[in-house]
Amino acid sequence: MACYVTIILSIVLYLVLNLVEGAPEVPCYFIFGDSLLDNGNNNDLDTAARANYPPYGVDFPDGPTGRFTNGRNIADFLAEHLDFDHYIPSFASATGDEILEGVNYASGSAGIRNDTGSHLGYRIYLGKQLENHKVTISRIADLLGNTTLAKNHLNKCLFIVGIGSNDYINNFLMPNVYQSSHLYSPTQYATLLIQQYSQQLKELYADGARKIALFGLPQIGCIPDQLNQHSTFFCVDSTNKAVQLFNKNLKALVDDLNTNFSDAKFIYINMYSISSAIAITLLNNPCCQISKTMPEGQCIPGKSPCLIRATHFFYDNFHPTEIGNNIATSRAYRALLPSDSYPMDIRHLVRTNNLYYDDQ
């Protein structure tokens, strides 16, 4: 009799695991970062770094939502890859039990450093995003019963962090506004950023994160803003070299964190090489008409963008188009080349348990 019960239970379990359509690969997904991931957190802030006006969102079903692109951003495409049937809500809009499936804390112009992007107005820097996450944890604890249950739930979630670009674009590369480039060499600055980032990631771990994907910096020296500033058609080598110092240290940090926190998995997404590959196939000039006043470098409100957006890598002077975001996310989720991720891609990260690494 016991044998038959076991067989029946096994069949039921098989059906549950294999016939439920649309079940996400992880029960929850949390997002930290800057404008490449922001989906509306800056909309009501006193800042020039907002994208809740047309032509942003021209290809998004809900129109302008605060995403700094014409359609979906990296956070959205990754939600699709993970088989969520909806996009993760912003911290500014998330309510009720929807927070159990994740929250997006990303904020345009935010950085690792608290002062980064301050000339643009208010922004939710990474330290503040982590504070907001503690508010979410408290709310999850209320929903599930206690903090222990909340953190057990968070252990199963995917966390992505994409930050650091503004610490260059809106800090180190603005010597007339910020002191960082006067105080530190590129090597010193990269080291300083990683030291602070390391402490922030350890705090995220302490709050229950166990599967964390860290997005490296893209080729910032090749964005239209940098080409304009240096009056060139070619990538700015000095900027890219500075960015590579950060990325090299970030990849080393991934090794360090995996060594020190054996029950967690940290991975590095090589956005530098991924963005380089995308740039070869798409036009580098921005798709929308660019504002020369605040917000400088972003789309002029109400002006129509280019018609064939799928041929452009950049929507404005800083941010990729939907097609650029799509390609980048696809390679972050399922690496096309071994260099795209380390030590594994997101697909393997979400499918591995908390005891060992699967081979990529």
Side-chain angles (χ1 to χ4, degrees), residues 10-319:
S10 298
I11 293 173
V12 170
L13 181 60
Y14 175 84
L15 291 173
V16 169
L17 292 177
N18 292 279
L19 299 183
V20 176
E21 295 184 1
E25 292 193 64
V26 286
C28 33
Y29 161 40
F30 291 87
I31 301 138
F32 299 79
D34 53 33
S35 55
L36 295 178
L37 298 166
D38 188 355
N39 66 342
N41 284 307
N42 278 22
N43 288 355
D44 296 323
L45 301 184
D46 183 13
T47 176
R50 290 186 290 109
N52 57 338
Y53 61 87
Y56 292 106
V58 66
D59 297 312
F60 195 77
D62 298 328
T65 58
R67 291 164 170 83
F68 289 76
T69 185
N70 57 303
R72 291 162 289 180
N73 64 18
I74 288 174
D76 299 324
F77 280 114
L78 187 52
E80 294 179 7
H81 280 291
L82 295 169
D83 290 330
F84 281 90
D85 61 4
H86 61 278
Y87 300 129
I88 302 302
S90 65
F91 178 75
S93 66
T95 58
D97 61 4
E98 67 180 353
I99 64 174
L100 293 173
E101 291 190 307
V103 174
N104 185 332
Y105 303 98
S107 172
S109 78
I112 294 168
R113 292 171 62 93
N114 295 1
D115 65 328
T116 288
S118 59
H119 69 288
L120 294 169
Y122 193 81
R123 67 265 162 247
I124 310 169
Y125 49 83
L126 184 54
K128 180 63 177 175
Q129 291 180 34
L130 291 169
E131 290 179 19
N132 290 342
H133 184 50
K134 293 182 189 299
V135 174
T136 298
I137 294 173
S138 178
R139 292 173 179 169
I140 291 175
D142 290 340
L143 289 169
L144 297 184
N146 57 56
T147 302
T148 299
L149 290 175
K151 291 196 174 181
N152 286 342
H153 176 70
L154 293 171
N155 288 168
K156 306 169 187 175
C157 305
L158 172 66
F159 292 77
I160 70 167
V161 191
I163 198 108
S165 291
N166 286 308
D167 292 293
Y168 287 91
I169 297 170
N170 288 310
N171 196 318
F172 193 73
L173 298 177
M174 299 186 72
N176 295 330
V177 179
Y178 298 92
Q179 290 296 308
S180 52
S181 63
H182 302 290
L183 297 174
Y184 309 107
S185 68
T187 299
Q188 291 171 330
Y189 189 64
T191 300
L192 184 72
L193 286 178
I194 292 298
Q195 287 174 345
Q196 184 171 351
Y197 198 13
S198 174
Q199 295 306 310
Q200 292 163 332
L201 292 171
K202 289 175 182 177
E203 181 179 346
L204 188 60
Y205 168 85
D207 283 333
R210 292 296 180 271
K211 296 182 179 183
I212 307 102
L214 307 178
F215 283 67
L217 305 187
Q219 288 191 316
I220 293 175
C222 302
I223 66 174
D225 174 72
Q226 282 291 294
L227 304 188
N228 290 344
Q229 285 193 34
H230 292 265
S231 301
T232 180
F233 294 106
F234 304 99
C235 295
V236 181
D237 190 52
S238 59
T239 298
N240 280 340
K241 284 183 177 178
V243 166
Q244 285 176 301
L245 291 171
F246 176 91
N247 286 337
K248 179 182 178 182
N249 289 352
L250 180 57
K251 188 175 180 181
L253 176 61
V254 164
D255 279 334
D256 181 64
L257 292 169
N258 283 327
T259 298
N260 290 312
F261 302 110
S262 59
D263 62 333
K265 304 292 177 287
F266 291 82
I267 69 168
Y268 167 73
I269 302 300
N270 189 354
M271 290 298 289
Y272 191 93
S273 66
I274 291 173
S275 65
S276 173
I278 298 173
I280 294 173
T281 61
L282 298 174
L283 297 174
N284 198 54
N285 57 306
C287 177
C288 73
Q289 299 181 54
I290 301 301
S291 173
K292 295 183 179 180
T293 59
M294 282 292 189
E296 186 176 358
Q298 290 187 211
C299 300
I300 298 176
K303 293 290 186 179
S304 298
C306 64
L307 291 177
I308 310 176
R309 293 178 280 280
T311 61
H312 288 255
F313 186 10
F314 291 98
Y315 197 57
D316 59 19
N317 272 2
F318 305 100
H319 306 101

